[in-house]
Amino acid sequence: MAKKKARELVLPIVHEINDYTSDFLKNDEPRHAFVYPDYIKHNLKHQLRDYQKQSLYNLNYTQKDANVASRFNQLLFHMATGSGKTDVMAADMLYFYHEFGYQNFLFVVNTNAVIAKTRENMLNVQSPKYLFSQPLNIDGTPIELREVTRFPTNSEPGVIYLRLTTIQTLANELNTPRENGLTYGDLEKQKLIILADEAHHFSAGTKSKADQKNKAWEYVLDRIRQANKDNRQLEFTATIDLNNEFIYEKYRDKVIFQYDLKEFQNAGYSKKISRLQANADDNEKMLNAVLLSQYRKHMATQAGVRDFKPVILFKSNKIDVSKAARDQFLTLLDQLTTEDLAQFIAKQRQTTQSSTLRQAYTHYQTIDVGRLVRELQRDFQPMNIINVNDTSSNGILGDLNDLRNLNTLEEPSNPFRAIFAVAKLSEGWDVLNLYDIVRIGEQPITSTQTNSEAQLIGRGARYNPFVYDKATSFTRRFDHSTPELQILESLHYHTINDKKYIDNLTKSFEAMQLQVEDDKDFDILTTTVKASFKRSDVYQYGKLYYNDVEDVPESEYNGLAKYGVPVAELPTVNIETATLEATAFDTQNVAGMNETRLVKIDDALVKKAMARNPFFRFNTMKKYMPTLNSISEFMYEAQWLGQIKEIQATVSTGSDAVLSRETQLLVVDLAYIQRMLVMNYKRQRGTNKFIGLPIKEAVQDYQKRVPVNYSDAGVHELIQTYDYKKAPWFVYNEAIVDKLERSLIELIQGYVEELQNKYKDVYLIRSDERNTKLKLHEFAGDVSHYAGFLPDFVLYLANESYIYQIYIEPKGTQLLDQDQWKEDLLTSISPESVDVIGENDKVKLYGVKFYVAGDNRKIRKTIYNIYQQ
């Protein structure tokens, strides 16, 4: 039976804005040309992503409309879980303050847990999750964010007032007036912005006539908004049900921005999600989850990723089941023996249908199982397990101690590896390093419950940014890489193999547009090296070349400039308000119109600043400044502090004409210089010396793990196996490539006969991503990227006179700008610029520009010019 097609949801305002944006005749209108404002850019800790900037553009479109009060006083931002709604809220607050003078903001949500999280995000400057730069400053005026319970009658300039409250508290307060409480009368006097988070809760009354309590909540917000014609209500949610006709009718002309989970996943901002289903008892599921989690940790260590701590959530339906499961889990690990684990691994490897688990168990058969047992018992000891089963409507974040523990799970100092809970992942829980969710104590489950589980999985899928190859990414980067790296960006949901349950869960996924792959639905694509190539002299004796790296010589660290310290233009120090030490030298926090002073540096200030900081003991300094001979040299020589005669500081208007010595000492704080010294010491850079790696070591059979089925064919570039057994010039029997890479192979194939007429040996080599030895590193000019990269292809051409190796990298147009440094590196490789160690002039290395679809960069012509020389 054909699947019923969901009706198309028409969102008139979104369409109106899109039409306006694409109308070039409107180019001269201010709101058409609206760009991401500096006053937002400089006051947010996180820079907005492109889709978040688009939401700001859409907001500006509505608020600059002539009929804003009637058309756009209630707006909905429908944004995927994890897409940064709170960042958008923070930007919107700055927007309304700067553009329209709004100072009163009422943040409303349905749980105390989200209130606590929002207070950390917006008001606690000491919190690692604080959203704003510090100090806040717009057009030279310092801005204070102040929490209040009641908005003042007369607002102070430069203050943004923020009231945080649950809708329940607000409704009781307004409907039962009391002394010092907020009243509807108060709300009529001054304009305000309502920020309604998790807004789907405020539409339950619209959705269901039976839910009169939530209908009353909607009425409270309506009445507040209508109290003053300038009031605005901005609603934010990830899970509103627009397929419900009542909800759709309420919001169809209020949705101004839609960024759903499908777009979010496709853009790479989430982990990949896989479902693991098996007819296994709880003990077996728990042990599978622990071994999979530990395998992730092993692969992170193998990849050089530090402080990678994957967390497991064991979810039950009842509190007593969850508590029993925790005890059961601890007993299971405490009594685990080497023999039991070895047998379990061997059995699972033979019987599992999961490619990921098979991958893990294959790895475990290569290591000492006794050591693995001790490792598991250490990592999952009782002190590293937390039970957060809630008994209230506040969710698992209701307890403040649990809130602190769960809100800092990503921190290396946080020990927890496993969480036992009944509640779903609470709204507002921003955990990033959750990698396994395991259902314990399985029971029959309804479609309503699977909707909740789908939301749980969507929350758990938030991407976990980590440092790899000296770079941090906020989107997935291993979709086309090895299975060992893909596991670091994958969330697994472990559940039973029950047809009715899986059907309900699948429907819930589809309703959310959540793309979840069955872990069985993967192919392990394998390719082998051609026997004919293995018999060739090229395979037996040839080499592929990569450039060596070198430590930046210690002798070059002979002054602050070599550490990237701009001595001539030290960042302005902002001491106009209390500033965190870590952000005191943030150049984005310059106060502009506030008073600027030049503070003269003298010996006493420098000595006092150094005495305050243990880093500036000679023995410690010498570790980072190997050419330094004495403290006096650091203080007085021109290449160190000697040429710094004064530092510019921003102070509050009206400060004393002569700053106190204590204030001057704040200016001369050396934390910025310490940070630059530590961060920029012991770098490695590429050199122009290229080393040969035997081809027989570099070119070997390999496998790639590739998903088979997608809910949307456009989710990824399709990777397939193409048969090249009859193409002797391609070194593998099969090419495991995407369409862009395939088009490059076909381009080469189109003139391979011409190449073979000129060269005895013609081979195209597809790089194996596992071979990190062959990475190239930037070496020309001022090196600014220290991480290497592996070009996808090497074209190998050889005759009696020469051996040419040409590095070629296909690249999608969407990546051209961000990967420009890689192209610069490739084009810097030529016989004139490199020295091939141990070879004569016969070996010639070249890199070419990126190959893009359709060969718009004329790579074929470039290669032709090379081999015709």
Side-chain angles (χ1 to χ4, degrees):
M1 181 175 169
K3 211 176 186 180
K4 184 179 178 182
K5 186 175 180 181
R7 66 188 179 93
E8 182 182 1
L9 298 176
V10 178
L11 301 173
I13 306 304
V14 173
H15 285 292
E16 178 182 326
I17 295 171
N18 290 341
D19 289 344
Y20 178 83
T21 305
S22 59
D23 187 350
F24 71 93
L25 296 177
K26 308 283 189 184
N27 281 350
D28 293 335
E29 294 187 12
R31 64 175 176 169
H32 191 283
F34 178 80
V35 294
Y36 184 32
D38 284 347
Y39 66 83
I40 294 179
K41 184 191 304 181
H42 294 166
N43 283 295
L44 288 186
K45 188 184 291 184
H46 309 131
Q47 291 312 302
L48 295 187
R49 298 165 177 170
D50 287 343
Y51 64 85
Q52 294 169 325
K53 292 176 186 176
Q54 182 63 48
S55 77
L56 195 62
Y57 178 95
N58 290 13
L59 176 65
N60 181 70
Y61 172 88
T62 63
Q63 298 309 297
K64 298 292 176 67
D65 188 86
N67 300 308
V68 56
S70 57
R71 291 191 68 202
F72 300 122
N73 64 1
Q74 182 182 6
L75 305 171
L76 178 73
F77 295 78
H78 188 202
M79 299 175 66
T81 294
S83 61
K85 295 190 296 296
T86 318
D87 280 312
V88 171
M89 269 186 227
D92 291 349
M93 289 171 65
L94 296 174
Y95 169 83
F96 274 104
Y97 173 83
H98 181 271
E99 300 286 338
F100 303 104
Y102 284 83
Q103 291 184 256
N104 298 330
F105 293 83
L106 176 65
F107 178 91
V108 184
V109 75
N110 74 311
T111 67
N112 285 318
V114 179
I115 292 293
K117 183 209 77 163
T118 306
R119 185 172 284 115
E120 289 288 292
N121 288 346
M122 292 195 175
L123 293 162
N124 183 6
V125 296
Q126 304 294 340
S127 170
K129 297 197 174 182
Y130 184 63
L131 294 175
F132 297 99
S133 297
Q134 178 65 14
L136 270 168
N137 183 283
I138 296 179
D139 292 341
T141 302
I143 305 300
E144 177 191 353
L145 223 68
R146 186 184 300 173
E147 184 174 10
V148 294
T149 55
R150 192 171 182 176
F151 297 114
T153 304
N154 298 307
S155 300
E156 297 176 39
V159 178
I160 294 175
Y161 300 97
L162 180 61
R163 167 76 192 270
L164 304 173
T165 179
T166 63
I167 185 65
Q168 300 93 323
T169 299
L170 183 64
N172 292 336
E173 192 172 324
L174 290 171
N175 294 329
T176 312
R178 62 180 186 276
E179 189 175 357
N180 295 323
L182 197 62
T183 68
Y184 284 115
D186 293 334
L187 299 173
E188 294 173 1
K189 298 171 185 174
Q190 291 179 305
K191 62 186 181 183
L192 65 80
I193 303 293
I194 304 168
L195 301 170
D197 197 13
E198 307 298 349
H200 50 283
H201 292 294
F202 306 138
S203 296
T206 295
K207 184 176 181 180
S208 168
K209 290 183 179 179
D211 197 340
Q212 290 309 302
K213 176 186 72 174
N214 288 328
K215 185 66 174 176
W217 292 353
E218 290 179 67
Y219 172 74
V220 167
L221 293 180
D222 288 344
R223 189 169 169 187
I224 294 172
R225 186 182 68 255
Q226 294 160 6
N228 186 313
K229 67 178 179 60
D230 290 324
N231 287 353
R232 304 285 180 263
Q233 182 171 329
L234 308 184
E235 301 184 28
F236 299 82
T237 182
T239 54
I240 201 155
D241 183 11
L242 291 175
N243 286 306
N244 176 287
E245 60 179 307
F246 300 110
I247 298 293
Y248 175 65
E249 284 307 313
K250 174 182 176 181
Y251 282 110
R252 66 184 301 274
D253 58 355
K254 296 179 177 63
V255 177
I256 65 158
F257 184 68
Q258 172 124 315
Y259 190 74
D260 58 30
L261 205 50
K262 178 178 169 184
E263 288 180 271
F264 187 64
Q265 284 187 282
N266 289 353
Y269 287 112
S270 72
K271 302 182 189 87
K272 299 278 285 294
I273 309 171
S274 293
R275 185 177 65 232
L276 280 172
Q277 56 193 68
N279 295 318
D281 61 24
D282 285 345
N283 272 4
E284 190 171 304
K285 267 200 293 189
M286 286 194 285
L287 195 49
N288 269 331
V290 165
L291 287 166
L292 182 54
S293 180
Q294 204 67 2
Y295 174 66
R296 292 184 213 275
K297 187 175 177 182
H298 282 202
M299 292 304 99
T301 302
Q302 184 175 295
V305 178
R306 298 180 58 189
D307 298 324
F308 188 89
K309 187 191 66 170
V311 170
I312 309 170
L313 173 68
F314 293 103
K315 180 185 179 296
S316 307
N317 288 327
K318 295 181 179 177
I319 289 178
D320 57 348
V321 173
S322 181
K323 290 180 176 177
R326 179 185 180 275
D327 295 339
Q328 185 180 341
F329 175 81
L330 292 173
T331 302
L332 172 69
L333 285 183
D334 183 57
Q335 298 178 355
L336 190 63
T337 66
T338 302
E339 294 74 23
D340 289 343
L341 186 58
Q343 289 178 10
F344 181 82
I345 289 172
K347 177 187 174 186
Q348 289 293 316
R349 185 171 180 270
Q350 294 300 317
T351 59
T352 185
Q353 295 184 37
S354 160
S355 62
T356 306
L357 287 177
R358 191 178 302 112
Q359 174 186 331
Y361 292 132
T362 300
H363 163 73
Y364 285 135
Q365 289 193 318
T366 67
I367 67 173
D368 184 307
V369 178
R371 190 180 71 184
L372 177 61
V373 169
R374 294 189 295 274
E375 191 181 304
L376 295 176
Q377 290 171 338
R378 182 187 68 241
D379 279 18
F380 292 92
Q381 60 185 297
M383 67 178 291
N384 295 347
I385 312 299
I386 184 171
N387 188 300
V388 289
N389 293 300
D390 65 300
T391 56
S392 70
S393 62
N394 287 338
I396 62 178
L397 296 182
D399 181 272
L400 285 179
N401 194 45
D402 288 343
L403 170 65
R404 282 189 291 271
N405 288 328
L406 295 176
N407 231 22
T408 59
L409 277 170
E410 303 93 343
E411 299 295 320
S413 58
N414 183 309
F416 296 111
R417 286 290 303 278
I419 302 162
F420 286 81
V422 166
K424 66 183 176 120
L425 274 178
S426 290
E427 290 160 345
W429 187 23
D430 295 325
V431 65
L432 302 176
N433 57 333
L434 181 67
Y435 282 90
D436 291 278
I437 301 173
V438 188
R439 292 188 78 235
I440 298 296
E442 302 279 8
Q443 293 182 2
I445 194 162
T446 66
S447 57
T448 301
Q449 289 169 305
T450 56
N451 287 342
S452 174
E453 297 208 355
Q455 292 169 20
L456 157 71
I457 296 167
R459 289 189 172 276
R462 297 166 191 247
Y463 186 75
N464 180 30
F466 52 85
V467 179
Y468 172 75
D469 244 359
K470 300 182 182 177
T472 302
S473 176
F474 294 89
T475 56
R476 292 192 309 272
R477 47 189 152 181
F478 302 134
D479 281 2
H480 303 322
S481 190
T482 63
E484 291 82 4
L485 289 173
Q486 288 178 5
I487 195 74
L488 305 183
E489 298 182 332
S490 300
L491 168 77
H492 281 84
Y493 185 65
H494 307 238
T495 186
I496 53 173
N497 188 11
D498 177 85
K499 185 179 186 307
K500 183 177 180 182
Y501 166 72
I502 296 300
D503 285 347
N504 281 341
L505 190 60
T506 302
K507 288 175 185 174
S508 298
F509 290 154
E510 290 173 351
M512 283 182 64
Q513 294 189 309
L514 186 67
Q515 297 163 93
V516 179
E517 299 156 343
D518 190 324
D519 194 64
K520 293 185 297 184
D521 292 340
F522 285 85
D523 274 342
I524 302 295
L525 304 183
T526 301
T527 186
T528 55
V529 182
K530 284 188 174 73
S532 59
F533 181 61
K534 285 185 174 181
R535 291 192 296 268
S536 71
D537 287 346
V538 171
Y539 180 81
Q540 293 295 334
Y541 309 111
K543 298 175 184 176
L544 293 176
Y545 297 91
Y546 63 97
N547 62 325
D548 197 7
V549 294
E550 65 178 9
D551 290 335
V552 176
E554 290 192 346
S555 60
E556 291 194 17
Y557 292 105
N558 58 4
L560 291 178
K562 296 301 177 69
Y563 295 84
V565 177
V567 178
E569 295 182 21
L570 280 178
T572 300
V573 182
N574 194 319
I575 55 169
E576 64 183 274
T577 59
T579 306
L580 292 178
E581 180 178 329
T583 58
F585 291 87
D586 187 343
T587 56
Q588 292 184 347
N589 292 331
V590 178
M593 288 177 60
N594 284 324
E595 199 168 337
T596 301
R597 303 277 185 88
L598 286 175
V599 177
K600 292 190 178 300
I601 306 303
D602 59 45
D603 291 356
L605 285 173
V606 173
K607 286 177 181 177
K608 186 71 172 175
M610 292 178 68
R612 281 187 167 189
N613 189 337
F615 176 83
F616 293 101
R617 306 292 183 267
F618 183 72
N619 288 342
T620 303
M621 294 167 67
K622 187 69 174 174
K623 294 177 184 177
Y624 297 96
M625 293 174 275
T627 65
L628 188 68
N629 296 309
S630 67
I631 292 283
S632 295
E633 181 184 341
F634 181 70
M635 289 180 60
Y636 300 118
E637 292 297 322
Q639 70 270 28
W640 300 105
L641 296 183
Q643 64 177 300
I644 303 176
K645 304 299 182 186
E646 52 192 22
I647 297 177
Q648 184 166 278
T650 304
V651 299
S652 299
T653 302
S655 296
D656 293 339
V658 178
L659 299 178
S660 70
R661 292 296 277 177
E662 192 61 34
T663 302
Q664 292 178 38
L665 188 56
L666 289 176
V667 177
V668 187
D669 184 353
L670 299 173
Y672 166 75
I673 289 176
Q674 174 191 344
R675 188 163 64 247
M676 297 297 282
L677 289 170
V678 172
M679 186 172 64
N680 291 313
Y681 181 57
K682 281 293 184 188
R683 289 285 199 181
Q684 282 193 321
R685 62 190 179 197
T687 72
N688 73 334
K689 299 185 185 306
F690 277 66
I691 304 167
L693 179 72
I695 285 180
K696 64 170 62 176
E697 292 183 27
V699 179
Q700 298 179 344
D701 302 347
Y702 71 93
Q703 294 181 331
K704 195 174 184 75
R705 180 174 176 267
V706 179
V708 176
N709 298 318
Y710 297 107
S711 57
D712 185 330
V715 172
H716 306 280
E717 294 177 33
L718 191 59
I719 296 177
Q720 298 184 61
T721 299
Y722 297 92
D723 188 349
Y724 279 92
K725 293 185 181 69
K726 295 181 180 179
W729 50 272
F730 192 77
V731 301
Y732 291 101
N733 284 307
E734 302 84 14
I736 305 174
V737 290
D738 60 31
K739 290 181 179 178
L740 178 62
E741 294 163 342
R742 173 81 191 286
S743 71
L744 172 64
I745 296 173
E746 290 178 330
L747 178 78
I748 302 295
Q749 186 174 18
Y751 63 101
V752 75
E753 287 187 18
E754 179 182 331
L755 292 169
Q756 288 170 336
N757 289 334
K758 188 173 178 65
Y759 294 93
K760 174 176 173 282
D761 299 309
V762 176
Y763 293 109
L764 184 63
I765 300 171
R766 173 68 167 96
S767 299
D768 175 359
E769 290 101 332
R770 297 171 303 173
N771 204 332
T772 55
K773 278 187 179 179
L774 287 171
K775 281 187 174 180
L776 303 178
H777 291 80
E778 193 174 19
F779 65 91
D782 291 329
V783 173
S784 57
H785 293 84
Y786 296 92
F789 90 100
L790 182 68
D792 285 336
F793 292 91
V794 174
L795 180 61
Y796 184 102
L797 308 173
N799 57 22
E800 293 74 13
S801 303
Y802 295 110
I803 296 173
Y804 286 96
Q805 287 189 21
I806 303 170
Y807 304 97
I808 313 173
E809 171 82 358
K811 189 66 62 178
T813 54
Q814 77 280 9
L815 299 173
L816 291 177
D817 288 339
Q818 72 182 60
D819 284 349
Q820 181 61 46
W821 72 272
K822 296 179 181 178
E823 183 174 78
D824 292 341
L825 169 53
L826 287 175
T827 56
S828 70
I829 300 172
S830 68
E832 297 77 28
S833 64
V834 305
D835 179 11
V836 185
I837 303 300
E839 305 290 352
N840 55 30
D841 292 343
K842 182 177 180 180
V843 175
K844 296 185 178 294
L845 307 181
Y846 289 91
V848 297
K849 287 185 175 182
F850 289 148
Y851 168 80
V852 296
D855 196 24
N856 292 334
R857 297 191 164 199
K858 302 190 177 351
I859 299 307
R860 174 171 177 169
K861 183 177 180 181
T862 303
I863 295 173
Y864 175 85
N865 290 337
I866 289 171
Y867 72 73
Q868 287 294 338
Q869 292 179 22

